[in-house]
Structure formats: C-alpha cells, structure tokens
Amino acid sequence: NQISLESYASGFGMHSLAETEPSPAESPARMTAVRLRRDWPMFKGDPARAGVARDAVKPPFIVAWRQPLGLTIHMASPVVGNGLVYIGAGDDTRAERSGVYALDAKTGAVRWYYHTLAKVAHSVTLADDLVLATSNDGMLHAINAKTGEKRWSYALGNPHDCWLYTAPVAAGKMVICGTAQHFTALELATGKPR
C-alpha cells in the first residue's frame, strides 16, 4: 500500500499531480524534489468526474517518496491540495484502525490522521477548507483540511443499507453523496440537509 505522488493512472488516462526532479548523482541520499503543479481535489479531479488533467504528462516518472500506511487502500485514489496528499484507508480485520490520512506532498510524512469507525473505501474530497470522506458505516465526515479535526459528521441512513463505496461530490456550497438507497445533499459549511 504505497502511494506515488507523481502520477495517478486510471482507465481514463494518466493524470500528472506533480513534477519531480531527480536527485543529483553526487548525492543519491537526497530526497527527490517535488514541485506541485495544480490541486487534484476529488475523485477524477472535478465535480463532473472528467478525469482530465490540464497539464501535459511528461514521462518518465520518478518516485518522489513512499509512505507505507499498513492499511488497505481499496478504491481510494489520492487527492491533492494545500501542499498535502489526502487518502482514505481501512483495515479489513480491525476496522478501528481505519480513517483518513494527510501526507506532506513533498516528503510523504504523515501530517495528521482522522479516525473513523469503519473503513474509508473510496477517495476523499477536498472542498474549501474541508476534507469530506464516507466510511462504510454510512457516515459522511467533514474534517478540517489543515488540522485533521472533526468539523461535522452526518449519518446517511441505516449502516446496513449504506455500504459506501463512493466519493462525495462538492459543488459550490453543497456536498452530494450517494448510497445504494438514495442521494443526500448537505450544506458544505454545516452539514445540514438541503
């Protein structure tokens, strides 16, 4: 379970999240430099789920860092913003280890961890100053993007009916989340139903 910051590949093409510069040959121990280009705030990059990066992809790619989390990253692709990489993860045998991680985009160091009671099996969403994550117990979590502190949470229904393998969509002042049963629209700032 290692994340390579410099690229994300999907069936819809390759998306460059950052450029890297190789370390000089005379100092092989030096960390590869990472220059962030643009934010990639949600699954497939935008509310339309277009999956198209505005920047040209320039191979070859160089691994800038690796950060083993010791957890499963199910269908979660990383999102990037605020100089951080955000990723949801889960433990299939010990759900209490599940949650959302914020990693330093340049070094891979863990900046914060937000605990959830069930795994976060899909990508998180970065909107304004919030990270939005769905956990498989039917909860939508709004987390302070800089500190990892809980802002609000919302129960999307009966946990047995709300098995979540979906990423929230943020558009304007609203967040939309779908379950197997229904869609829910909430105010981004407060988590109140719309």
Side-chain angles (χ1 to χ4, degrees):
N1 298 333
Q2 298 173 342
I3 302 166
S4 294
L5 170 65
E6 73 281 353
S7 67
Y8 161 64
S10 74
F12 297 97
M14 181 80 70
H15 314 295
S16 178
L17 301 178
E19 289 183 346
T20 58
E21 293 178 357
S23 300
E26 60 274 3
S27 74
R30 187 175 149 241
M31 177 69 70
T32 301
V34 176
R35 291 189 317 264
L36 295 178
R37 296 168 74 185
R38 297 182 198 259
D39 289 349
W40 191 263
M42 63 185 72
F43 180 66
K44 300 240 179 214
D46 60 29
R49 303 288 202 233
V52 177
R54 293 176 283 175
D55 300 310
V57 178
K58 300 175 189 171
F61 299 110
I62 300 164
V63 175
W65 49 261
R66 288 184 176 89
Q67 179 59 266
L69 298 175
L71 299 167
T72 301
I73 297 170
H74 288 270
M75 292 178 275
S77 56
V79 301
V80 180
N82 305 322
L84 299 173
V85 175
Y86 303 94
I87 189 84
D91 189 323
D92 290 326
T93 58
R94 293 179 47 214
E96 68 275 4
R97 294 185 56 221
S98 300
V100 177
Y101 285 82
L103 309 173
D104 186 286
K106 293 188 178 194
T107 67
V110 175
R111 288 277 194 87
W112 56 255
Y113 161 73
Y114 177 84
H115 171 72
T116 59
L117 296 177
K119 62 186 168 188
V120 178
H122 210 298
S123 299
V124 300
T125 297
L126 180 62
D128 295 336
D129 63 343
L130 294 176
V131 174
L132 303 161
T134 55
S135 55
N136 279 1
D137 56 356
M139 295 298 295
L140 173 60
H141 306 268
I143 308 159
N144 182 303
K146 290 188 172 120
T147 66
E149 295 174 3
K150 177 181 176 178
R151 189 74 63 81
W152 55 262
S153 61
Y154 184 85
L156 295 164
N158 181 330
H160 301 292
D161 296 330
C162 293
W163 200 256
L164 290 166
Y165 284 100
T166 184
V169 175
K173 303 288 181 195
M174 185 170 48
V175 57
I176 301 166
C177 189
T179 70
Q181 304 295 318
H182 60 275
F183 285 95
T184 301
L186 304 171
E187 291 180 12
L188 187 59
T190 64
K192 292 181 181 174
R194 299 268 309 225

